[in-house]
């Protein structure tokens, strides 16, 4: 039988020092510096408005996203630390009170300098396959990464408004958790699926009518009328950028989103 030797105090102390140094190095290498965090917060009015406890949780989850996800530049885009931090922070907003497990089934974020071109293929109701070339600023692949245009995020930084590309694409990822993107993410046990369908369907129909009548007068981004999946994604980004608008236009949708995201942005954001 091998004897288990008690380490001498010196060896034990030395190992402890090395362990502590390693821990400090590791946490520093993964941490967001105070300066970078302050700069990153500047890109998100909702993050700045959150109470201190929520902001601390936001910072911790942002650091976890930075560790857990790969950030890859495409078409010559060089991914900088501020770009990574900016994207990670916005990605955390929807899951602040849900947890990082909601993003467990994807691992990377691809960033293009501007819009990117994709070929889409879909079958119409007559079974005819159509192929389309489209320029996009964001995309959430059902079995793959989130793809983003840096130009679109830069524009949001310069002129803050109702848009938030990262939250929009992350909302699609949440929607995809229970199958196809259809505006119906996996609801919590205390939520009523029929009430969700009723409230979202009524609001979607109302928006489609408004957009058909006069898209320019719609206060909600008319792109939400594209289909129920886009309606959920646009409502989600607007919920966090201009919550009072969602509440005024569709109070029952606001309450559903409040239950789903377990957040109430209206509490913290000033009326636009
Ligand atoms: Zn979308």
């Amino acid at each position: 039988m091998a004897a288990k030797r008690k380490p001498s105090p010196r060896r034990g102390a030395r190992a402890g020092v090395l362990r502590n140094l390693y821990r400090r190095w590791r946490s520093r290498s993964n941490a967001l510096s105070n300066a970078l965090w302050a700069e990153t917060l500047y890109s998100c009015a909702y993050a700045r408005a959150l109470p201190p406890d929520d902001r601390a949780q936001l910072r911790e989850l942002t650091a976890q996203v930075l560790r857990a996800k790969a950030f890859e530049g495409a078409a010559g885009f060089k991914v900088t630390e501020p770009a990574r931090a900016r994207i990670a922070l916005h990605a955390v907003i929807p899951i602040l009170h849900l947890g990082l497990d909601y993003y467990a089934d994807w691992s990377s974020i691809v960033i293009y300098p501007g819009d990117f071109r994709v070929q889409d293929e879909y079958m119409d109701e007559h079974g005819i396959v159509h192929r389309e070339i489209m320029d996009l600023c964001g995309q959430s692949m059902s079995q793959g990464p989130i793809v983003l245009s840096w130009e679109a995020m830069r524009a949001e930084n310069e002129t803050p408004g109702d848009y938030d590309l990262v939250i929009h694409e992350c909302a699609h990822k949440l929607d995809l958790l229970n199958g196809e993107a259809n505006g119906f993410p996996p609801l919590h046990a205390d939520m009523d699926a029929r009430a969700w369908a009723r409230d979202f369907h009524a609001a979607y129909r109302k928006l489609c009518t408004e957009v058909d009548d006069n898209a320019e007068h719609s206060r909600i981004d008319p792109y939400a009328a594209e289909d129920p999946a886009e309606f959920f994604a646009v409502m989600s980004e607007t919920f966090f950028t201009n919550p009072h608008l969602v509440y005024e236009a569709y109070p029952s949708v606001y309450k559903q989103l409040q239950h789903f995201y377990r957040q109430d942005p209206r509490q913290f954001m000033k009326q636009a």
Side-chain angles (χ1 to χ4, degrees):
M1 181 182 144
K4 190 178 174 193
R5 272 203 313 178
K6 200 176 164 191
S8 72
R10 190 181 157 78
R11 276 186 62 199
R14 180 83 184 136
V17 168
L18 287 175
R19 249 198 321 273
N20 287 342
L21 278 174
Y22 173 70
R23 273 203 207 106
R24 271 164 54 195
W25 169 80
R26 189 166 176 272
S27 68
R28 235 200 338 258
S29 69
N30 288 326
L32 286 151
S33 70
N34 287 340
L36 178 57
W37 180 241
E39 181 189 333
T40 309
L41 274 179
Y42 197 73
S43 74
C44 184
Y46 179 56
R48 292 197 305 277
L50 285 170
D53 282 359
D54 279 347
R55 230 179 309 138
Q57 170 75 353
L58 184 71
R59 185 170 177 170
E60 172 55 33
L61 284 172
T62 300
Q64 287 182 29
V65 166
L66 288 170
R67 286 196 290 270
K69 307 298 181 196
F71 292 74
E72 297 160 11
F77 184 75
K78 193 173 175 319
V79 186
T80 60
E81 284 303 304
R84 277 162 41 91
R86 194 256 184 226
I87 294 166
L89 178 144
H90 286 247
V92 165
I93 295 287
I95 54 138
L96 183 61
H97 293 310
L98 299 178
L100 200 51
D101 282 354
Y102 274 75
Y103 292 162
D105 66 346
W106 55 275
S107 58
S108 62
I109 296 170
V110 177
I111 308 129
Y112 280 83
D115 286 359
F116 48 93
R117 188 155 282 192
V118 297
Q119 190 168 355
D120 189 34
E121 201 175 278
Y122 66 93
M123 191 183 286
D124 68 17
E125 66 269 34
H126 308 292
I128 299 165
V129 175
H130 298 264
R131 286 186 186 85
E132 262 182 0
I133 304 283
M134 296 187 297
D135 289 329
L136 302 177
C137 63
Q139 191 180 32
S140 283
M141 315 276 218
S142 61
Q143 302 285 325
I146 285 181
V147 188
L148 301 166
S149 149
W150 180 250
E151 176 57 32
M153 289 179 272
R154 206 181 53 79
E156 286 173 11
N157 287 352
E158 281 178 8
T159 318
D162 299 351
Y163 298 114
D164 195 306
L165 177 64
V166 177
I167 294 178
H168 180 107
E169 297 307 328
C170 287
H172 282 316
K173 279 292 190 191
L174 297 174
D175 190 358
L176 284 162
L177 282 173
N178 55 355
E180 60 179 314
N182 55 5
F184 218 119
L187 304 182
H188 309 305
D190 63 346
M191 293 182 74
D192 180 348
R194 284 172 63 177
W196 176 282
R198 178 198 64 215
D199 294 342
F200 269 82
H201 183 72
Y204 175 63
R205 294 309 322 160
K206 190 170 168 224
L207 181 75
C208 288
T209 306
E210 280 171 19
V211 168
D212 282 348
D213 288 349
N214 191 339
E216 281 176 18
H217 282 174
S218 172
R219 290 173 67 206
I220 302 279
D221 180 1
Y223 186 60
E226 189 82 1
D227 58 44
E230 294 306 339
F231 186 75
F232 170 67
V234 170
M235 283 299 129
S236 294
E237 65 181 308
T238 316
F239 179 73
F240 291 111
T241 52
N242 191 353
H244 298 278
L245 174 59
V246 177
Y247 188 78
E248 281 161 21
Y250 310 112
S252 51
V253 163
Y254 183 93
K255 284 175 195 151
Q256 295 289 359
L257 292 173
Q258 185 185 341
H259 285 137
F260 177 66
Y261 288 116
R262 296 182 175 140
Q263 299 184 64
D264 184 7
R266 229 162 40 104
Q267 248 192 298
F268 311 117
M269 298 276 277
K270 287 198 200 97
Q271 194 116 22

